[in-house]
């Protein structure tokens, strides 16, 4: 193997390595993910470091852009990463709390100390409010008046809250009341009525006029009424659906609930019953003996008429009408009976239904004739009565309570389906991403084709044309000069030596393919 053959193989190896490198670069370029914004943060906050620490813990690649205000991650990982980061409570603005009082400067005035204390208290309240799941950020402003020694000059403190809720989150009445009472309980002499709460859209959340308009019902009572109405509607629809089919019945219910509580005690007295049916409470007996005779000392006293007789409560058969016993013994018996009294204690539970009103609308019934044609017909009287009876049993209808239930049969109006216009292809994000991928592949294919056409193919053609020449040179050098051959001719020809034969062949090759001759001369010059 000569030097030219070695150089040719080295060049060919470099060309193959360059091709492999180019293909690898284009493949990596096509596989490189597109980075998008995960969070936009404030450089003065600590959320950026906490988010980057969480990304490193989850092994998610990220980039910092726009001077550290944007954190970028691969587009395919934006939404799942954002959900995982949000589950960790990030991002969350760093509020200054009581740590503000740790570095008090010597010689601070009383006013500055009061201002720092109020700022620290506001920061701690903001942290407490942000602990609620639906709240993303919160601002608290306290208006604490100066204390006065005069009673008529004293003013109550007030407070205002601005909450920034997470996208798609809301606060119900119970949560709003909890936040207001949390703030009122944290500041001395601050009442819940002096706390104003607003969301990021400017909606007033702590509006007490709503409660007054709802007859003083609290959120839990409103929730109970709503759940009760939905339960009644569900029972009515569930019992009627098998008769008329799904989506052919609609119901609404209105419930009046009595939330008042009642405790009552009644004590009733009745006339006494017969003595033999009554219970004896007490009985007293009195007996008196007398030794007087029917005669006496003559005179005025003995000539007086006898006194009026008094009958006892219970007469003794052994005594006479005058109350004097035959033996001279007077007996009195007093009996007391129990008073006929009844005591009743009544306690009425809250949340009882005062009145129930239910309205039900039923679609016409579908009927199939012998030919398989489907048509709608109104319900007859018996069918309506059956539906009404079933609905009354399902909702707990009570006529004595004044309940009302109405069943109306009518043909439902078909709601036209809103046709949403299709998104053009050039605005569809899926097609845009697909077009980007196809464009990358197309550019890669064009570059590889040009590389093959302009670089690889000429080099290969050069080596293909050079190889037969080298083989021919090697064969010429290895062969021994053949002996002169005498060729008989008529007439006789001159004898051609090997040198002359080679010279003729070289001339013929130079005339037919001068490129090979040029290459041979170049090799001679280089090897010389």
């Amino acid at each position: 193997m000569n030097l030219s053959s070695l150089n040719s193989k080295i060049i060919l190896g470099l060309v193959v390595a360059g091709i492999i490198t180019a293909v690898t670069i284009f493949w990596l370029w096509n596989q490189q993910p597109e980075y998008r914004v995960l969070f936009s943060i404030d450089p003065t906050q600590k959320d950026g470091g906490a988010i980057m620490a969480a990304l490193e813990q989850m092994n998610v690649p990220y980039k910092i852009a726009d001077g550290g205000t944007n954190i970028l991650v691969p587009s395919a990982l934006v939404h799942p990463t954002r959900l995982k980061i949000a589950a960790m409570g990030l991002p969350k603005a760093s509020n200054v709390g009581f740590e503000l009082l740790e570095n008090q400067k010597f010689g601070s005035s009383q006013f500055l100390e009061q201002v720092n204390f109020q700022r620290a208290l506001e920061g701690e309240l903001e942290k407490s409010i942000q602990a609620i799941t639906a709240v993303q950020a919160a601002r608290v402003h306290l208006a604490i008046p100066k204390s006065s020694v005069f009673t008529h000059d004293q003013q109550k403190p007030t407070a205002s809250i601005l909450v920034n809720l997470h996208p798609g989150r809301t606060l119900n009445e119970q949560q709003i009341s909890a936040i207001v009472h949390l703030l009122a309980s944290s500041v001395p002499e601050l009442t819940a009525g002096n706390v104003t709460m607003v969301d990021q859209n400017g909606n007033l959340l702590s509006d007490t006029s709503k409660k007054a308009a709802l007859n003083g019902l609290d959120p839990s009572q409103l929730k109970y009424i709503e759940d009760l109405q939905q339960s009644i509607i569900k029972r009515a629809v569930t019992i009627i659906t098998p008769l008329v089919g799904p989506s052919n019945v609609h119901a609404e219910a209105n419930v009046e609930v009595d939330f008042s509580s009642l405790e009552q005690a009644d004590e009733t007295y009745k006339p006494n019953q017969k003595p033999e049916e009554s219970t004896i409470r007490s009985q007293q007996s009195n007996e008196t003996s007398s030794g007087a005779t029917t005669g006496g000392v003559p005179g005025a006293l003995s000539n007086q008429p006898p006194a009026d007789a008094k009958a006892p409560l219970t007469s003794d058969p052994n005594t006479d009408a005058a109350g004097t016993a035959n033996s001279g013994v007077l007996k009195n018996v007093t009996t007391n009976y129990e008073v006929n009294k009844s005591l009743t204690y009544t306690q009425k539970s809250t949340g009882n239904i005062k009145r129930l009103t239910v309205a039900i609308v039923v679609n016409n019934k579908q009927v199939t004739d012998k030919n398989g044609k489907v048509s709608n017909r109104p319900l007859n009287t018996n069918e309506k009565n059956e539906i009404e009876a079933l609905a009354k049993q399902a909702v707990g209808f009570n006529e004595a309570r004044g309940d009302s239930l109405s069943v109306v049969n009518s043909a439902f109006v078909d709601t036209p389906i809103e046709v949403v216009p299709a998104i053009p292809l050039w605005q569809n994000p899926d097609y845009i991403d697909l077009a980007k991928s196809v464009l990358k592949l197309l550019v890669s294919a064009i570059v590889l084709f040009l590389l093959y056409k302009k670089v690889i193919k000429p080099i290969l053609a050069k080596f293909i044309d050079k190889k037969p020449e080298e083989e021919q040179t090697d064969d010429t050098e290895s062969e021994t000069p053949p002996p002169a051959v005498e060729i008989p001719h008529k007439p006789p020809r001159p004898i051609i030596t090997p040198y002359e034969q080679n010279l003729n062949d070289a001339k013929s090759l130079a005339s037919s393919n001068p490129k090979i001759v040029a290459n041979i001369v170049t090799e001679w010059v280089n090897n010389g």
Side-chain angles (χ1 to χ4, degrees):
M1 181 182 297
N2 54 13
L3 185 60
S4 61
S5 178
L6 180 61
N7 293 335
S8 302
K9 293 183 178 180
I10 293 175
I11 295 174
L12 183 60
L14 293 175
V15 171
V16 173
I19 295 172
I20 296 175
T21 304
V23 172
T24 304
I25 291 174
F26 282 111
W27 182 80
L28 293 177
W29 179 58
N30 291 326
Q31 296 297 323
Q32 184 178 6
E34 181 181 0
Y35 280 76
R36 293 185 180 179
V37 177
L38 177 66
F39 287 111
S40 297
I41 59 176
D42 188 354
T44 60
Q45 298 178 358
K46 300 179 181 179
D47 292 337
I51 292 175
M52 288 188 291
L55 293 176
E56 292 176 356
Q57 184 179 1
M58 293 186 296
N59 295 326
V60 176
Y62 65 90
K63 294 181 180 180
I64 306 299
D66 301 331
T69 58
N70 290 330
I71 299 179
L72 309 180
V73 297
S75 58
L77 302 177
V78 170
H79 298 292
T81 305
R82 187 174 295 171
L83 293 176
K84 293 179 181 179
I85 294 294
M88 299 178 182
L90 295 174
K92 181 180 292 185
S94 56
N95 300 322
V96 179
F98 283 118
E99 61 269 13
L100 186 64
L101 304 178
E102 295 178 356
N103 299 322
Q104 289 289 336
K105 296 181 180 180
F106 181 75
S108 298
S109 62
Q110 185 179 2
F111 174 75
L112 184 59
E113 292 178 354
Q114 183 64 28
V115 170
N116 290 336
F117 174 76
Q118 184 169 338
R119 288 181 57 195
L121 182 59
E122 291 175 351
E124 292 295 333
L125 291 174
E126 291 171 0
K127 292 179 182 179
S128 300
I129 296 174
Q130 290 175 5
I132 299 176
T133 306
V135 179
Q136 183 177 6
R139 291 292 304 275
V140 176
H141 302 282
L142 299 177
I144 303 177
K146 292 182 179 181
S147 59
S148 176
V149 295
F150 301 101
T151 306
H152 62 277
D153 291 338
Q154 291 182 354
Q155 298 179 358
K156 298 293 184 182
T158 58
S160 58
I161 309 172
L162 174 63
V163 293
N164 188 2
L165 304 179
H166 287 285
R169 301 287 186 88
T170 57
L171 293 175
N172 55 35
E173 295 292 338
Q174 188 173 1
Q175 290 175 322
I176 295 173
S177 178
I179 295 175
V180 171
H181 283 81
L182 172 67
L183 192 65
S185 303
S186 303
V187 180
E189 299 183 0
L190 178 61
T191 60
N194 291 336
V195 179
T196 304
M197 186 173 178
V198 184
D199 62 1
Q200 73 270 21
N201 297 322
N203 299 321
L204 182 61
L205 303 180
S206 60
D207 190 1
T208 56
S209 60
K210 294 182 180 179
K211 186 175 180 181
L214 295 172
N215 298 325
L217 298 179
D218 56 21
S220 60
Q221 293 174 346
L222 295 176
K223 185 68 166 52
Y224 174 77
I225 294 176
E226 183 179 357
D227 293 342
L228 184 59
Q229 292 178 164
Q230 294 298 325
S231 176
I232 292 173
I233 293 173
K234 183 178 179 181
R235 284 183 288 177
V237 173
T238 302
I239 197 66
I240 299 176
T241 299
L243 300 179
V244 297
S247 302
N248 289 324
V249 56
H250 296 284
E252 290 293 335
N254 183 27
V255 181
E256 297 180 9
V257 181
D258 184 12
F259 291 102
S260 61
S261 59
L262 176 63
E263 294 183 2
Q264 182 179 358
D266 295 332
E267 189 174 356
T268 306
Y269 295 91
K270 295 182 180 179
N272 290 332
Q273 301 177 0
K274 297 180 181 181
E276 59 272 10
E277 297 179 358
S278 302
T279 304
I280 297 176
R281 182 176 184 180
S282 63
Q283 188 174 19
Q284 184 179 3
S285 177
N286 187 11
E287 186 174 341
T288 305
S289 300
S290 176
T293 59
T294 55
V297 179
L301 294 174
S302 59
N303 293 327
Q304 295 292 331
D308 296 335
K310 295 181 180 180
L313 294 177
T314 302
S315 300
D316 193 347
N318 296 326
T319 61
D320 54 10
T324 304
N326 296 332
S327 59
V329 178
L330 180 61
K331 185 177 182 182
N332 296 326
V333 179
T334 303
T335 305
N336 296 323
Y337 296 96
E338 288 288 350
V339 179
N340 192 355
K341 179 181 69 172
S342 61
L343 181 64
T344 305
Y345 181 78
T346 305
Q347 184 177 7
K348 183 180 179 182
S349 60
T350 61
N352 295 324
I353 298 177
K354 295 173 57 177
R355 189 170 183 270
L356 174 64
T357 304
V358 182
I360 301 174
V361 180
V362 183
N363 193 11
N364 289 339
K365 190 174 182 179
Q366 293 184 354
V367 180
T368 305
D369 55 10
K370 297 180 179 178
N371 298 328
K373 184 179 180 180
V374 179
S375 61
N376 297 331
R377 66 167 180 84
L379 300 178
N380 54 39
T381 305
N382 293 332
E383 292 173 342
K384 290 181 62 177
N385 293 336
E386 291 178 357
I387 293 175
E388 183 176 356
L390 288 174
K392 287 182 178 181
Q393 295 293 330
V395 303
F397 182 85
N398 188 355
E399 186 176 0
R401 193 171 52 193
D403 296 349
S404 174
L405 189 144
S406 300
V407 178
V408 177
N409 173 227
S410 178
F412 286 4
V413 178
D414 295 333
T415 304
I417 301 176
E418 183 180 359
V419 179
V420 180
I423 301 177
L425 295 178
W426 58 87
Q427 295 181 358
N428 194 330
D430 297 334
Y431 288 104
I432 292 175
D433 295 339
L434 180 60
K436 290 181 179 179
S437 301
V438 173
L439 183 61
K440 287 183 179 180
L441 295 176
L442 184 61
V443 170
S444 303
I446 293 174
V447 172
L448 292 176
F449 176 76
L450 294 177
L451 181 64
Y452 171 77
K453 191 72 175 177
K454 299 296 183 181
V455 179
I456 299 175
K457 186 176 180 181
I459 295 176
L460 294 178
K462 179 179 179 181
F463 281 101
I464 291 174
D465 295 340
K466 188 176 181 180
K467 186 175 180 181
E469 179 186 354
E470 294 178 350
E471 292 178 355
Q472 182 179 1
T473 303
D474 295 339
D475 294 340
T476 305
E477 293 177 354
S478 59
E479 291 179 356
T480 57
V485 179
E486 183 179 357
I487 301 175
H489 293 284
K490 292 181 179 181
R493 291 183 179 182
I495 299 173
I496 300 174
T497 62
Y499 173 77
E500 293 176 350
Q501 182 66 33
N502 292 336
L503 183 59
N504 294 332
D505 293 338
K507 291 179 180 180
S508 176
L509 180 63
S511 60
S512 63
N513 198 344
K515 189 174 182 180
I516 295 177
V517 175
N519 290 334
I520 295 173
V521 174
T522 302
E523 290 292 333
W524 289 349
V525 172
N526 292 333
N527 295 331

